[in-house]
Amino acid sequence: MRRICRVENTGASALVFPSITAATSDADVRSSGFAGSWRAEGYLTGGTAPTIQNQPTFGQSRVPVHLWAPDAVEITNELINDSGADVEGILAEVIAETKGVDEDVAFISGNGVSRPTGLMTTLSGLAATAVNSGHASQLTYNGLIDLFTNLPAQYRVNGRFLMNSLTYGAVLKLQDGNGQPLFPVNSLPNQLWGKGIEFSELMDDVTANLYPIAFGDFRYYLIADRQDMRIQRLVERFAPNVGILVTARSGGQTLRPAAFRTQKVAA
């Protein structure tokens, strides 16, 4: 998620990001929140005050920051001194991998309580963003087309799919009436209709009433970083061993749900 979403730094406990409330009419088309006007060449006001444009309506999205702090890791001095490999370097790699997985869990499905609010947590509760697959327990080709075309064009330009590997397999297995694959073997890898496919095993499987695929412009999910990952070496507390304590502070939140669509497994 971090690689494809908008990432901003903040010096406070929350990042306040300007948001735009689209006009109630044509909201899907006019995501900027207002419409302009055409006028004839040589247009004169005749002394009449011009109409005040009350759109777009600017608001604020507040993205709170949360603490990520796994339990301290204790390692012996003997392991550090006698090992033929860089134990602390290996540990740093493992910690970085753990942080990446923990962040994806939160950025995808976090409940917002002492952790980020996940993209799917927001979208799964919005009927306006859900597009049915066309079958009670499976994906269908028509359902994927509906998912693709239901997203407004301005978001589809930078659109990406997000799914897990098993869901991708289910997409590749779709066949026509003659048993031929609908997506040829030699088509571009990790792409669907020219749009990139991102993988996370934390997404739902293809199961009735779940949401295995998200499609949208991931720049409208904001990750707020307050503190990069810090590693503290605790010597006295864990003597004669060494303790490794890791902390980071980040938050995450969907800025504009209209920029996403989800595939719901339903008829």
Side-chain angles (χ1 to χ4, degrees):
M1 289 287 284
R2 180 174 287 276
R3 182 172 57 82
I4 61 176
C5 296
R6 182 191 297 268
V7 180
E8 300 284 350
N9 294 318
T10 179
S13 60
L15 187 149
V16 178
F17 197 84
S19 60
I20 297 175
T21 302
T24 54
S25 61
D26 256 354
D28 277 346
V29 175
R30 299 191 183 278
S31 57
S32 62
F34 71 102
S37 299
W38 291 98
R39 306 186 190 280
E41 289 289 328
Y43 167 74
L44 299 174
T45 65
T48 303
T51 302
I52 297 174
Q53 177 59 262
N54 60 4
Q55 291 284 353
T57 301
F58 285 93
Q60 293 180 337
S61 294
R62 187 177 184 275
V63 184
V65 169
H66 306 281
L67 175 66
W68 177 77
D71 294 337
V73 178
E74 184 177 359
I75 53 179
T76 66
N77 274 307
E78 290 82 4
L79 179 62
I80 295 174
N81 296 329
D82 298 343
S83 176
D86 180 6
V87 174
E88 292 189 74
I90 294 173
L91 181 59
E93 292 177 4
V94 171
I95 291 171
E97 179 182 345
T98 301
K99 179 175 181 286
V101 173
D102 285 350
E103 283 189 336
D104 270 4
V105 171
F107 296 152
I108 290 174
S109 59
N111 60 11
V113 180
S114 300
R115 68 193 64 198
T117 301
L119 173 71
M120 299 305 294
T121 303
T122 300
L123 299 182
S124 296
L126 295 177
T129 67
V131 180
N132 286 355
S133 67
H135 190 283
S137 60
Q138 298 176 14
L139 298 177
T140 69
Y141 185 71
N142 285 346
L144 290 174
I145 292 176
D146 290 341
L147 173 66
F148 185 78
T149 57
N150 193 271
L151 185 70
Q154 66 268 31
Y155 302 126
R156 202 163 59 235
V157 170
N158 295 303
R160 293 173 178 268
F161 292 91
L162 178 65
M163 65 185 77
N164 68 31
S165 298
L166 292 177
T167 299
Y168 183 54
V171 172
L172 294 179
K173 291 177 182 177
L174 291 175
Q175 300 177 349
D176 63 19
N178 297 318
Q180 298 299 312
L182 292 171
F183 298 100
V185 176
N186 294 326
S187 59
L188 290 175
N190 300 345
Q191 286 196 2
L192 186 59
W193 296 311
K195 302 302 178 183
I197 300 176
E198 305 294 334
F199 296 101
S200 174
E201 308 310 335
L202 302 169
M203 289 290 289
D204 289 337
D205 291 331
V206 180
T207 304
N209 294 316
L210 293 186
Y211 302 80
I213 304 176
F215 177 53
D217 189 337
F218 283 81
R219 296 177 301 172
Y220 291 101
Y221 184 90
L222 175 64
I223 296 172
D225 283 338
R226 174 67 176 88
Q227 173 195 307
D228 290 336
M229 187 169 67
R230 294 180 181 175
I231 299 179
Q232 294 176 272
R233 207 169 187 266
L234 307 178
V235 178
E236 294 183 1
R237 181 175 181 180
F238 289 89
N241 299 327
V242 175
I244 305 296
L245 182 65
V246 186
T247 59
R249 296 177 67 192
S250 297
Q253 187 172 295
T254 306
L255 294 176
R256 191 179 295 183
F260 299 92
R261 293 293 185 271
T262 58
Q263 183 89 97
K264 182 178 182 181
V265 182

